[in-house]
Tab-separated table of all heavy atoms in Angstrom:
chain	number	residue	atom	x	y	z
A	306	LEU	N	3.444	-15.806	2.567
A	306	LEU	CA	3.549	-14.395	2.230
A	306	LEU	C	4.818	-13.772	2.783
A	306	LEU	O	5.294	-14.143	3.852
A	306	LEU	CB	2.357	-13.618	2.804
A	306	LEU	CG	0.950	-14.041	2.370
A	306	LEU	CD1	-0.080	-13.260	3.170
A	306	LEU	CD2	0.743	-13.829	0.874
A	307	TRP	N	5.321	-12.804	2.049
A	307	TRP	CA	6.238	-11.817	2.601
A	307	TRP	C	5.411	-10.601	3.020
A	307	TRP	O	4.319	-10.379	2.488
A	307	TRP	CB	7.271	-11.384	1.569
A	307	TRP	CG	8.310	-12.419	1.242
A	307	TRP	CD1	8.321	-13.264	0.169
A	307	TRP	CD2	9.485	-12.709	2.002
A	307	TRP	NE1	9.439	-14.064	0.207
A	307	TRP	CE2	10.173	-13.746	1.321
A	307	TRP	CE3	10.032	-12.212	3.190
A	307	TRP	CZ2	11.376	-14.274	1.785
A	307	TRP	CZ3	11.220	-12.740	3.645
A	307	TRP	CH2	11.882	-13.760	2.958
A	308	TYR	N	5.946	-9.834	3.954
A	308	TYR	CA	5.268	-8.621	4.428
A	308	TYR	C	6.239	-7.445	4.411
A	308	TYR	O	7.426	-7.617	4.711
A	308	TYR	CB	4.769	-8.799	5.863
A	308	TYR	CG	3.695	-9.846	6.040
A	308	TYR	CD1	4.021	-11.190	6.190
A	308	TYR	CD2	2.351	-9.483	6.082
A	308	TYR	CE1	3.037	-12.148	6.377
A	308	TYR	CE2	1.357	-10.438	6.272
A	308	TYR	CZ	1.704	-11.770	6.411
A	308	TYR	OH	0.729	-12.714	6.597
A	309	TYR	N	5.710	-6.265	4.114
A	309	TYR	CA	6.539	-5.054	4.183
A	309	TYR	C	6.005	-4.101	5.259
A	309	TYR	O	4.798	-3.952	5.428
A	309	TYR	CB	6.607	-4.338	2.834
A	309	TYR	CG	5.302	-3.855	2.236
A	309	TYR	CD1	4.716	-2.640	2.625
A	309	TYR	CD2	4.652	-4.588	1.230
A	309	TYR	CE1	3.549	-2.171	2.049
A	309	TYR	CE2	3.484	-4.130	0.646
A	309	TYR	CZ	2.936	-2.923	1.059
A	309	TYR	OH	1.768	-2.457	0.488
A	310	PRO	N	6.930	-3.463	6.004
A	310	PRO	CA	6.508	-2.412	6.937
A	310	PRO	C	5.931	-1.233	6.156
A	310	PRO	O	6.520	-0.781	5.169
A	310	PRO	CB	7.804	-2.025	7.659
A	310	PRO	CG	8.716	-3.198	7.477
A	310	PRO	CD	8.373	-3.751	6.121
A	311	ASP	N	4.809	-0.732	6.605
A	311	ASP	CA	4.113	0.335	5.896
A	311	ASP	C	4.800	1.676	6.180
A	311	ASP	O	4.734	2.203	7.299
A	311	ASP	CB	2.656	0.424	6.361
A	311	ASP	CG	1.984	-0.935	6.431
A	311	ASP	OD1	2.452	-1.806	7.200
A	311	ASP	OD2	0.977	-1.132	5.746
A	312	TYR	N	5.443	2.229	5.171
A	312	TYR	CA	6.055	3.545	5.286
A	312	TYR	C	5.119	4.562	4.626
A	312	TYR	O	4.526	4.253	3.589
A	312	TYR	CB	7.423	3.565	4.582
A	312	TYR	CG	8.124	4.898	4.674
A	312	TYR	CD1	8.798	5.258	5.837
A	312	TYR	CD2	8.075	5.802	3.620
A	312	TYR	CE1	9.417	6.506	5.928
A	312	TYR	CE2	8.687	7.038	3.710
A	312	TYR	CZ	9.352	7.381	4.869
A	312	TYR	OH	9.964	8.608	4.970
A	313	PRO	N	4.925	5.743	5.209
A	313	PRO	CA	5.699	6.349	6.300
A	313	PRO	C	5.185	6.081	7.707
A	313	PRO	O	5.747	6.589	8.671
A	313	PRO	CB	5.609	7.846	5.985
A	313	PRO	CG	4.286	8.009	5.331
A	313	PRO	CD	4.064	6.750	4.526
A	314	TYR	N	4.116	5.269	7.845
A	314	TYR	CA	3.566	5.046	9.190
A	314	TYR	C	4.593	4.414	10.129
A	314	TYR	O	4.637	4.747	11.314
A	314	TYR	CB	2.304	4.180	9.110
A	314	TYR	CG	1.236	4.770	8.239
A	314	TYR	CD1	0.782	4.101	7.103
A	314	TYR	CD2	0.684	6.022	8.519
A	314	TYR	CE1	-0.194	4.643	6.289
A	314	TYR	CE2	-0.289	6.568	7.712
A	314	TYR	CZ	-0.725	5.873	6.585
A	314	TYR	OH	-1.684	6.428	5.778
A	315	ALA	N	5.411	3.512	9.604
A	315	ALA	CA	6.421	2.862	10.442
A	315	ALA	C	7.374	3.885	11.037
A	315	ALA	O	7.779	3.779	12.208
A	315	ALA	CB	7.197	1.827	9.628
A	316	ALA	N	7.727	4.905	10.245
A	316	ALA	CA	8.634	5.944	10.737
A	316	ALA	C	7.906	6.945	11.624
A	316	ALA	O	8.442	7.391	12.646
A	316	ALA	CB	9.279	6.667	9.555
A	317	MET	N	6.678	7.281	11.263
A	317	MET	CA	5.913	8.261	12.044
A	317	MET	C	5.711	7.794	13.478
A	317	MET	O	5.725	8.589	14.418
A	317	MET	CB	4.556	8.506	11.381
A	317	MET	CG	4.629	9.260	10.065
A	317	MET	SD	3.089	9.148	9.102
A	317	MET	CE	1.909	9.865	10.239
Side-chain angles (χ1 to χ4, degrees):
L306 301 173
W307 288 99
Y308 295 84
Y309 60 82
D311 314 61
Y312 181 79
Y314 302 119
M317 290 165 59

